[in-house]
Amino acid sequence: MGRKGSTYLQWGIFQFILIIAGLLTIEAALRLWGFKPGDMKPNWLNFKPVDSLYIVPDYHLNTEGILVADSTYWAGYNVYINSDGFRTKQFSQIDTTKKKLLFIGDSFTWGTSAVPLTNSFSDLVRSETGFEVINLGIPTADPVQYFELAKKYVSQLHPDFVFVCFFTGNDIMKQDRAVIPTEPFYYFTNAGAILAELDGKHFKTPDAAYNYFVNEKYYLHQPKNFLEYLISKSALLSRLYSVKFRIEEKLEFEQTVKEPLITKKYLTQIQNICKANKVPVKFLLIPEIKEADMNADKFSKKYAGLLSDNSLKSDWLIPDNASKNFNAYPDAHLNNQGHRVYADYIKLFLKNYSSQNKNQIVR
């Protein structure tokens, strides 16, 4: 072999070693960041495999099939839960001399990731205004629950204004569900909150749901062929392989966004309940962190199926937002700055609403 050929060979070996070293470095970095071989879950999913699964009794279905917080569990964290199962005062203690705001929503409304929890936007509105604030936010709640809460509590509590806090990340429903007290739609476990119904499958037990997540949905613990076996041994290959599933999920979600028939059904029913009780209602949009820097025009275009719907479009509120107002994935909830932004937006909206509607709502 000539000198030139020897040089090319050495260069090729050097490049090969460099590539292998780079891949090994990436593999090590991914493992250091918590990604394990076979892990194909999306970065927003707050779920992890565990050695022994057990139920965390923080939330449960009540006798009406409504998801509520467990007062005994939360007392251990010095969080007060009223007798109906919500992070708000006893309904019998509501000051009837004040105007009442009713907040319906999920973990964002509950106040997840506010530090302390009383820095949530609903708590800030309560402490900084003369309103009586009723917070019915419960983590993992969906538009079905929002409707059930409106159906029960709007007529019971007679609020002066209703805010339904709508999270674009998971409030656009791909499939409907029935409200059955004995059939939870989430299992709250030490591995995370696990859907009881996913991909057309209904899981009667938390173990069945967990096993689907770990063995079929998000982890390659049972590879079906040699390729999947190789992938299951590498965090890097697992992440690359997961791209296929993320694309499929994105396409499915985009189709649901275009035709959000199920979600629209429940929001329209909430409107009808509020109208029948002569209570104004607004749907307060909370975006995913990855969409937080979008302006109102872009939101209106992307979510036209909801935001431009003839029956709903006049009742949407879209605050100016920014990704800096959120914690990073997998938390992805509002941080204290984000809760402040929403509290200030709500206060300003109510002030303007009062001046435009003959002081129907006042501080």
Side-chain angles (χ1 to χ4, degrees), residues 309-341:
D309 179 78
N310 288 333
S311 62
L312 296 172
K313 62 183 179 182
S314 62
D315 286 331
W316 283 100
L317 299 178
I318 309 176
D320 288 333
N321 217 319
S323 55
K324 65 182 180 181
N325 296 330
F326 293 76
N327 291 322
Y329 288 114
D331 181 315
H333 286 92
L334 294 172
N335 55 29
N336 278 17
Q337 178 174 308
H339 281 284
R340 166 52 59 192
V341 167

Side-chain angles (χ1 to χ4, degrees), residues 37-255:
D39 182 351
M40 301 188 301
K41 72 179 186 297
N43 62 353
W44 50 261
L45 185 66
N46 195 5
F47 173 86
K48 62 183 184 301
V50 292
D51 294 330
S52 179
L53 187 73
Y54 59 85
I55 292 292
V56 177
D58 44 2
Y59 309 101
H60 63 268
L61 290 184
N62 65 14
T63 56
E64 298 170 281
I66 294 174
L67 187 66
V68 296
D70 186 276
S71 58
T72 302
Y73 175 89
W74 285 104
Y77 294 89
N78 296 316
V79 175
Y80 176 76
I81 304 297
N82 72 9
S83 58
D84 281 62
F86 299 100
R87 195 178 69 79
T88 198
K89 68 166 60 175
Q90 286 290 94
F91 296 145
S92 60
Q93 297 175 352
I94 290 174
D95 188 343
T96 56
T97 66
K98 294 181 178 181
K99 296 289 185 178
K100 299 185 290 293
L101 306 179
L102 181 65
F103 286 88
I104 295 174
D106 62 6
S107 53
F108 286 88
T109 308
W110 164 272
T112 298
S113 297
V115 182
L117 194 55
T118 49
N119 268 339
S120 74
F121 61 79
S122 64
D123 289 288
L124 293 174
V125 173
R126 177 188 292 114
S127 63
E128 297 172 359
T129 71
F131 293 115
E132 187 71 270
V133 172
I134 305 165
N135 184 356
L136 303 186
I138 292 288
T140 74
D142 61 3
V144 179
Q145 166 122 339
Y146 304 163
F147 163 66
E148 293 294 328
L149 292 175
K151 183 171 65 174
K152 179 175 182 178
Y153 290 109
V154 169
S155 60
Q156 176 182 325
L157 300 176
H158 307 292
D160 295 281
F161 211 100
V162 174
F163 290 97
V164 178
C165 305
F166 186 92
F167 177 50
T168 60
N170 56 23
D171 277 344
I172 300 178
M173 300 179 66
K174 293 188 291 185
Q175 59 188 39
D176 209 341
R177 69 174 179 87
V179 177
I180 306 172
T182 57
E183 296 284 345
F185 58 99
Y186 265 97
Y187 295 113
F188 296 93
T189 76
N190 58 319
I194 310 174
L195 279 165
E197 190 156 335
L198 189 64
D199 299 335
K201 301 177 176 67
H202 182 76
F203 306 102
K204 291 285 188 178
T205 66
D207 290 284
Y210 174 84
N211 287 334
Y212 179 71
F213 263 53
V214 170
N215 295 319
E216 296 185 48
K217 181 68 176 176
Y218 292 124
Y219 295 86
L220 269 177
H221 287 177
Q222 296 179 351
K224 298 180 179 64
N225 50 53
F226 182 68
L227 176 61
E228 288 192 353
Y229 173 79
L230 290 178
I231 293 170
S232 71
K233 300 301 180 182
S234 165
L236 174 58
L237 292 179
S238 296
R239 300 316 299 168
L240 292 174
Y241 190 53
S242 71
V243 172
K244 167 181 178 288
F245 303 102
R246 302 293 83 80
I247 292 173
E248 291 173 355
E249 291 168 358
K250 184 174 185 296
L251 293 174
E252 184 179 16
F253 178 73
E254 288 176 350
Q255 183 58 39

Side-chain angles (χ1 to χ4, degrees), residues 271-287:
Q271 275 185 325
N272 293 338
I273 289 168
C274 291
K275 184 177 180 180
N277 287 273
K278 299 180 180 179
V279 182
V281 60
K282 292 293 181 182
F283 302 110
L284 181 65
L285 188 144
I286 302 175

